[in-house]
Amino acid sequence: MATYVTLVNELLRRMNEVTLDIAGDGFDSVRNVQALAKDAVNSSIRLILQDGQEWPFLKTTFTQTLTVGTRQYDFPADYSSTDWDTFYLKKLSSENNSPMPLSVISYEQYIQNVRPSDDTGDQVNGDGPPALVYQTLGTAFGVSPIPNAAYEIEYVYWKFPTDLTAFNDVSIIPDRFKHVVIDGAMMFMMRFRSNEQSAAMHQNNFEDGIKTMRRVLIDDTLFVRSTVVGDSRTSSFTSGV
């Protein structure tokens, strides 16, 4: 993966400007066009990430350890969205529970059909291993029944990384698409120079690059699955159907 300083230097070379020391000397204190180049790289990456929140390179597997008597759990700080099909209850040897995938229901379904039994259960010691996960109205998920032990639930979520800061910070964008990052950064730099014609050209290249990324990394026309909560139906489509 490309580092922050290598991306900035590639951008500066495109603009025929003085590049920075690849060892990071003076990187934090640069001024003028070099400082603008640093901002432009981060702005370009940010736009790419906002265009597709479910880029595969943003997928992260996380294990949540449950707390006895606690129903709801916050997602990690860098959380963007969740793959609700991936919640899995691990085996806890001390409890000898059965590991299994956990079904997911909406918050409305939880309120109408499940919460009454949770509210009348053991609020302190819990009622057993979770059998389902429910969505909440915030950046958290809930489990039911209320856990009676420190069970572990594994799931996949898409993160939203922070901006690059240090010279050797590694870009989350795969190397084969770093040219897309540079095109986006060039768009910002040309706008700063009030060169709208060049900015428009780089914007077109940038948008085309993002479309290619989506086609290669996200779009899948051969397999379609409903993600409606509570609907487990799956359909497959192949060419010629």
Side-chain angles (χ1 to χ4, degrees):
M1 294 289 197
T3 62
Y4 193 11
V5 69
T6 58
L7 289 172
V8 171
N9 279 344
E10 186 167 340
L11 174 60
L12 291 171
R13 283 192 294 271
R14 284 262 203 115
M15 300 178 63
N16 199 27
E17 296 285 352
V18 177
T19 58
L20 303 175
D21 177 34
I22 60 173
D25 185 31
F27 185 82
D28 294 338
S29 58
V30 296
R31 301 172 62 184
N32 302 321
V33 68
Q34 284 79 13
L36 289 169
K38 289 172 61 177
D39 292 341
V41 166
N42 270 323
S43 295
S44 178
I45 293 174
R46 203 178 301 121
L47 283 182
I48 293 172
L49 299 182
Q50 290 172 351
D51 188 86
Q53 291 189 9
E54 297 183 354
W55 295 113
F57 50 80
L58 297 178
K59 271 191 171 184
T60 303
T61 300
F62 183 79
T63 298
Q64 175 70 60
T65 300
L66 306 185
T67 302
V68 174
T70 301
R71 306 187 198 188
Q72 295 188 7
Y73 299 86
D74 291 331
F75 289 117
D78 60 354
Y79 158 86
S80 175
S81 61
T82 311
D83 187 344
W84 292 101
D85 293 329
T86 61
F87 281 80
Y88 186 84
L89 177 67
K90 294 183 174 182
K91 180 179 178 63
L92 185 63
S93 57
S94 62
E95 298 297 317
N96 199 31
N97 65 292
S98 298
M100 63 178 183
L102 298 175
S103 58
V104 180
I105 62 174
S106 68
Y107 185 68
E108 290 75 15
Q109 289 175 311
Y110 172 74
I111 293 297
Q112 295 173 7
N113 303 320
V114 180
R115 182 174 175 179
S117 62
D118 281 349
D119 283 350
T120 56
D122 191 332
Q123 307 297 306
V124 177
N125 299 311
D127 293 316
L132 60 84
V133 169
Y134 62 89
Q135 299 172 325
T136 69
L137 300 180
T139 55
F141 68 92
V143 297
S144 180
I146 301 172
N148 66 340
Y151 300 102
E152 291 185 337
I153 290 181
E154 181 182 278
Y155 63 91
V156 172
Y157 74 98
W158 286 271
K159 63 183 178 180
F160 195 89
T162 58
D163 285 348
L164 302 178
T165 305
F167 79 97
N168 58 349
D169 281 351
V170 177
S171 170
I172 194 71
I173 308 299
D175 274 351
R176 58 176 168 157
F177 297 113
K178 70 177 181 179
H179 65 280
V180 181
V181 176
I182 300 302
D183 280 328
M186 284 293 294
M187 174 187 70
F188 286 107
M189 296 301 290
M190 291 301 102
R191 285 176 178 170
F192 169 74
R193 290 185 169 181
S194 299
N195 189 337
E196 291 302 326
Q197 181 177 359
S198 182
M201 179 190 71
H202 287 292
Q203 181 176 351
N204 288 336
N205 292 340
F206 182 54
E207 292 174 349
D208 287 344
I210 292 178
K211 289 177 183 177
T212 299
M213 289 180 65
R214 294 188 66 90
R215 184 174 67 252
V216 172
L217 299 176
I218 296 181
D219 296 344
D220 184 355
T221 59
L222 298 180
F223 185 76
V224 179
R225 178 173 58 187
S226 172
T227 57
V228 176
V229 174
D231 187 348
S232 60
R233 292 172 295 176
T234 300
S235 298
S236 296
F237 296 85
T238 57
S239 58
V241 176

